[in-house]
Amino acid sequence: MRIKTISRSVDEFTRERSQDLQRVFHNFDPSLRPMEKAVEYQRALTAAKLEKIFARPFVGAMDGHRDGISCMAKNPNYLKGIFSASMDGDIRLWDIATRRTVCQFPGHQGAVRGLTVSTDGNVLVSCGTDCNVRLWSVPRPSLEDSDLSSEKSTEPSAVYTCKNALLAVDHQFEGDLFATAGAQLDIWNHNRSQPVQSFTSGSHSVISVRFNPGEPDILATSSGDNHISIYDIRMSSAARKILMRTKTNSIAWNPMEPMNFTAANEDGNCYSFDGRKNEEAKCVHKDHVSAVMDIDFSPTGREFVTGSYDRSVRIFPYNGGHSREIYHTKRMQRVFCVKYSSDATYVISGSDDTNLRLWKAKASEQLGVILPREQKKHEYNEAVKNRYKHLPEIKRIVRHRHLPKPIYKAKAESRAMNDAKRRKDERRKAHSAPGTVVTESHRTRRIIKEVE
Amino acid sequence: MGGLKRKSSSNAKTLAKSKKKKGPHLPNSILKVIASQKRPLNSDEEEDDDAIDSDDEHGGDLYEYEEGVPEEESRKNNRYDRHDNYDYELPEDFEDENVESEDDVNSENDEDDDRHTRMLQSLTGMPSAAFEGESKSKPVLFTEAYPEGEFNPTRDVLEGKNVLTEEDFLAPLEGKPGYHKTSKQIARMRKDTKHVVHAPLPKPQRERLERKAVIGLVDGEFSKWVHLVKKNREAPTVYFNQDVDLGYSTVGAIASEFQPRTEFEKKMASVLNDSEVSEAHRDDGARLLELNEVSMEDHIKNRDHIAKMRSLLFRHELKSKRIKKIKSKTYHRLKNKDLKNSSLGALLDPEMAKEEAMRQEAKRVEERMTLKHKNTGKWAKRMITRGLNVKYDGTRAAIAEQLQMNANLSRKMNSMRDGSSSDESDDEEELNDGSDEDTASRLIAKAKEKTLKTMEDDGVPNAGLMSLPFMARAMKKKNEEANEEAKRALEEYEEWENSGGENSKKPVSVSGRRVFGATAKVEAPKESKKDSDNFYDSSDSDNDMAGIEDNDMEDIRDNASPAKNTNRNITETEKFDDVAGNPASKTTFDVAMFTSGSWKKMAGCKNTESKKESKKTRVPISRDQDKKGSRDEESEDSESEAEQMVDGVLTSGSKETFEIPSQAELINRAFAGDDVLDEFEKDKEEVLNLEVPKPEKPVLVPGWGNWTNIQRKIGISKRMVMEHEAEEKERKLKLKTRKDARLKHVIISEKVDKKAEKLHTTTLPFPHTSKEVFEHSMRMPIGPEFNPSTVVRELNRPEVVKKTGVIIKPVKFEEVNPNDEVDDEHPRNHQKQRPKKKTGKRQGQVKSKDESYKFLIPWE
């Protein structure tokens, strides 16, 4: 005869420390737990609701500028520092942790339109409508300087003058070249007062320029005549040119996928392109109701943040058609520049109301030290939510956002217009000979051609 | 003026045949410029020499002007006198040596010039190049302001027409010594097509080509990333900065980094880090004592310090004594007031309370240091030595008071409050104090006491509900009963005491359990009494129960709790592993409890007897058989019991004999009254009516639409009837299309469950391609309750793992083998990879860029 008993050795069950967890044994036979799906669904629902409850994205505002903020630059070598410049020529270095100005860089006469920092974080380059390019040496952060009462100001280490007003500047990744955009595209070296190389194209000025972080010699520009161009600075001419229906305000390369970049367009959409195939966008990111002013990729390459003229900041997945998050406050005005922090945890926006705003990239993320068990729990919640995200109830809760009234109305209006247009197209198609009316896909609709 | 005239006349001579050329005679170079500038103005496409002629004819030249004959010469109106021309005139046949210009010579030298050009040239005196360009070139705006030269070539030269060739240069050399060699060399150069430099292309074309080249280069740069990017995208989780060390996180680790900075810290560190001490620690620690040696100096210092403190204390004491001696009433009043204030204030003000506590603490310290009140004082010593404390009560009291004070002050802080709990614990202490043997007797004595007390304490309450007469009577009765009970108990105690005394004399170690049993027995009768009171209140045969109790109380008790019963069965006989027997016995007991006493008694007896029998019989038989036998018996027992039970309940003892009817008959009889099929049909109709409601029949409502005779005659309007018919038709169709339309015995509800709706997606979610795959992806739960802990972390891992506060650098290029399989342990991505896996494998074989691209972009 066999008798089944539970035998538990003392050695196995004695805890080493009183804080240790008791060993628990489970029988994982699924037949014993028929309700697992229901349980997990309920958990997903709870997780979705909790996420909503804990969503507090706004961390704080950085106040100090006397005019609208025109551009920002993050220090690639120092997480806490961010540079911002305003329309009155004021440049400031902020300490994000304390949200105070650390240093000021006076000198520009008109609006500062471009800011960038070298990869080692030592040189700040600024340019503006006063036709000057100024190079500054960035003060090194140290413990002694952390007493916040002293706001230092520094002199530029070099001033180079151009013929035309400058609209944008960007620094090469791990190199000592930087590019300015104005009437033409100029490539500069730190140590030379004249541009090393210049590219001219068309009669319109270049609006924005961005170096590729993966391929340091390749850069993309957008110009006032609705062109997006890709250059290789080792060559003398542009590689590719895309002609779009509307102007592109800013461009951001995906730092993890050097061939892909996303363009922030005047029509309120963002277009993701593959640098090798430009006749159609790979993805159209829609949600903003007004021009997208600036765009910055998360260092993880999985998301990007956009700031728009409609007074909102949105975060998009790199391959998703709609934003996952919208940030807005009552007092935030037109957003002119946005940056994703170098550790992909925060988002910083600079707007017309002279403030920089610091946001969490994940609205409900718990900051600070998280215990392993806590971490596990968070991960599980996220996983469960992700698994059941297609079910209507969870989808509704996760997607739900309160919008400012103007945005809400504008969205409704644009939706109505789009619907009407679509309906009309459908009817036109239905009543004409097959093949004569072709509906263009959204990915190619706003692109006129790729210039040969 | 004369010179001019002469020139014009000479011109007239040279161009005798053609039309007379009018205008100033200009130097050759200027003429050339004029020619080149003149061309665009009058030359259209493909103009011939004739055009030039005509051009000359209508005199479109800008620089030409009509120089008319002077009036004195024209003799128009004879205003001037005729006079002879005194100027020298060349003879008719005079040949000017300078007629042929350099250009003419050139053109003569040039053998390729056709005659026509030469003619023109001779006519106009212009260089041949002008006509050449006019005849062949397209019209272009010319801006040369300077004459042709080495640094300012003409347009012909620029366009590569009418240029000098090597032959031209070679021709004069022919026959010279190096000629052959040079010509050979030139021929070789001509054949050598490689080194020929072609003319540059037009700009837009050139730019397009350039772009094409750059595109190729840039695309190549991009394409090398494809595999890496693909790998990253396919990975279930991307890790960032996992190798970055964020530094220490534990307290110990941080402490190990500590560097002493201040002097005190350094001193401490020097002591702590003393190698000798640490060594001693590492050893058995015996040397620590040696190291702990106090030097004589230190000792003396310490002693002096204590002495000083003592003297200070003494002075303080003296002072306080002096103060106490002060007889001034006002002083004491004020002092008392202060004291009072302080004690009151201590209650009110937390700060005061703190002060008070401090003072108390100081007192305690003082007491502990001086031991003033522990008969160490001079006075107390004297009193004790002389034995005065025994003699005089006052002295003794004073000394006792002092001792009490000392005890209070020197007691440990946590036991400061005088708890009343000690009283309660007293008894227990007393209990614990005694030896094991004592405890039993003591317990009994106590119980005795208590019972006696309760017997004495039978005071009837004077007021309230209990004072009412009938209540009082009832109380009295109860009291009497209780008294009797108590008496009985007392007797028992006495008996036990006697026996217990004997027991206690024996050297048997009485275990705690026994003791407890004894105490339990003390209380047990009470309990049982109470129980019986509550339980058998209705039954009049109290004695009967008692009888039962007397007889086989124990047996019944055993049966009373099934758990106990099973325990017994298992532990004692070790045969009853079939638990099925137990309920039977239980039921028997239950039945026994609720049926008439006599029968119950019988059953109980029988039960126990049978058990005993089984026990007896079991002994000699071998194990297996034994088991079987016992089982059989058990089953028999239970059967018989069941029968008895049935008898007891249904027939109450009287047995009848009837034939057992067949199953069908039984069923028929059981369900004689109801027609199940009919009921079901009705039910189904109801459900159908609910789910597909019947349309309402149109009726004539009195007062609506039937006022006149005509209306009445017409009846219900046709429209309504039609509508009704249509609705009925629709209903029929709906009923027909139902799933249970043909299933007679089934109702399948087609009502939509709104709650279940929530658990379904309306459409197939985006990245999934088939329903099966989607459902498969949702099948396995991921929670820690449903999966072993080793897998849970894997299952729940997020797509991006990063560290907050660490800068993420852009991607660095590394070679990735495209044929490597991505580790797809992540079940969430299973379905994503499944449809694409094929492409991935194919891509391994066909390495075309487009393929990989398609694979890479998920939104394609």
Side-chain angles (χ1 to χ4, degrees), chain A residues 259-276:
Chain A
M259 72 278 276
N260 294 336
F261 67 91
T262 306
N265 208 282
E266 191 79 5
D267 63 357
N269 297 340
C270 295
Y271 297 89
S272 284
F273 287 98
D274 186 296
R276 301 167 297 169

Side-chain angles (χ1 to χ4, degrees), chain A residues 171-215:
Chain A
H171 201 282
Q172 193 181 20
F173 190 79
E174 285 183 348
D176 54 355
L177 298 178
F178 61 91
T180 58
Q184 59 186 16
L185 178 68
D186 289 331
I187 313 293
W188 304 72
N189 194 316
H190 282 175
N191 308 318
R192 301 208 188 159
S193 60
Q194 292 297 318
V196 182
Q197 202 176 357
S198 305
F199 299 96
T200 43
S201 64
S203 53
H204 279 267
S205 57
V206 184
I207 299 168
S208 72
V209 58
R210 208 61 92 83
F211 269 99
N212 191 336
E215 285 284 344

Side-chain angles (χ1 to χ4, degrees), chain A residues 107-295:
Chain A
H108 274 286
Q109 293 304 314
V112 185
R113 300 310 298 262
L115 267 187
T116 187
V117 187
S118 66
T119 314
D120 56 2
N122 290 334
V123 181
L124 169 72
V125 184
S126 67
C127 68
T129 47
D130 58 352
C131 311
N132 279 338
V133 179
R134 282 164 197 266
L135 270 66
W136 317 76
S137 65
V138 177
R140 298 213 67 80
S142 58
L143 286 170
E144 286 80 51
D145 290 345
S146 57
D147 50 334
L148 306 147
S149 53
S150 62
E151 276 185 21
K152 294 184 297 182
S153 65
T154 47
E155 289 289 307
S157 58
V159 182
Y160 305 145
T161 312
C162 303
K163 280 179 213 153
N164 306 94
L166 297 165
L167 296 175
V169 65
D170 195 40
H171 201 282
Q172 193 181 20
F173 190 79
E174 285 183 348
D176 54 355
L177 298 178
F178 61 91
T180 58
Q184 59 186 16
L185 178 68
D186 289 331
I187 313 293
W188 304 72
N189 194 316
H190 282 175
N191 308 318
R192 301 208 188 159
S193 60
Q194 292 297 318
V196 182
Q197 202 176 357
S198 305
F199 299 96
T200 43
S201 64
S203 53
H204 279 267
S205 57
V206 184
I207 299 168
S208 72
V209 58
R210 208 61 92 83
F211 269 99
N212 191 336
E215 285 284 344
D217 290 329
I218 293 171
L219 60 89
T221 63
S222 69
S223 52
D225 53 354
N226 304 347
H227 274 102
I228 298 173
S229 322
I230 300 173
Y231 291 89
D232 189 323
I233 54 172
R234 293 164 296 188
M235 300 291 170
S236 58
S237 78
R240 284 184 185 278
K241 271 186 161 185
I242 315 161
L243 179 58
M244 297 191 70
R245 289 198 190 279
T246 37
K247 203 168 72 173
T248 296
N249 286 324
S250 183
I251 291 172
W253 289 93
N254 190 332
M256 286 295 141
E257 296 165 8
M259 72 278 276
N260 294 336
F261 67 91
T262 306
N265 208 282
E266 191 79 5
D267 63 357
N269 297 340
C270 295
Y271 297 89
S272 284
F273 287 98
D274 186 296
R276 301 167 297 169
K277 297 208 164 184
N278 293 339
E279 62 270 16
E280 65 168 19
K282 288 302 150 214
C283 190
V284 183
H285 312 272
K286 296 177 169 179
D287 260 350
H288 279 299
V289 293
S290 187
V292 187
M293 301 306 289
D294 198 11
I295 181 171

Side-chain angles (χ1 to χ4, degrees), chain B residues 455 458-461 466 468-484:
Chain B
M455 275 171 76
D458 277 345
V460 181
M466 290 300 166
L468 290 171
F470 68 94
M471 287 300 278
R473 244 177 285 142
M475 282 286 287
K476 212 177 168 186
K477 209 177 178 182
K478 267 202 173 168
N479 278 340
E480 274 173 17
E481 278 173 18
N483 276 344
E484 268 181 27

Side-chain angles (χ1 to χ4, degrees), chain A residues 215 240 257 282 387 452, chain B residues 211 219 221 780 853 859:
Chain A
E215 285 284 344
R240 284 184 185 278
E257 296 165 8
K282 288 302 150 214
R387 160 169 280 208
E452 281 292 308
Chain B
R211 259 204 306 269
D219 283 2
E221 293 267 287
M780 210 178 104
Y853 184 81
W859 51 70

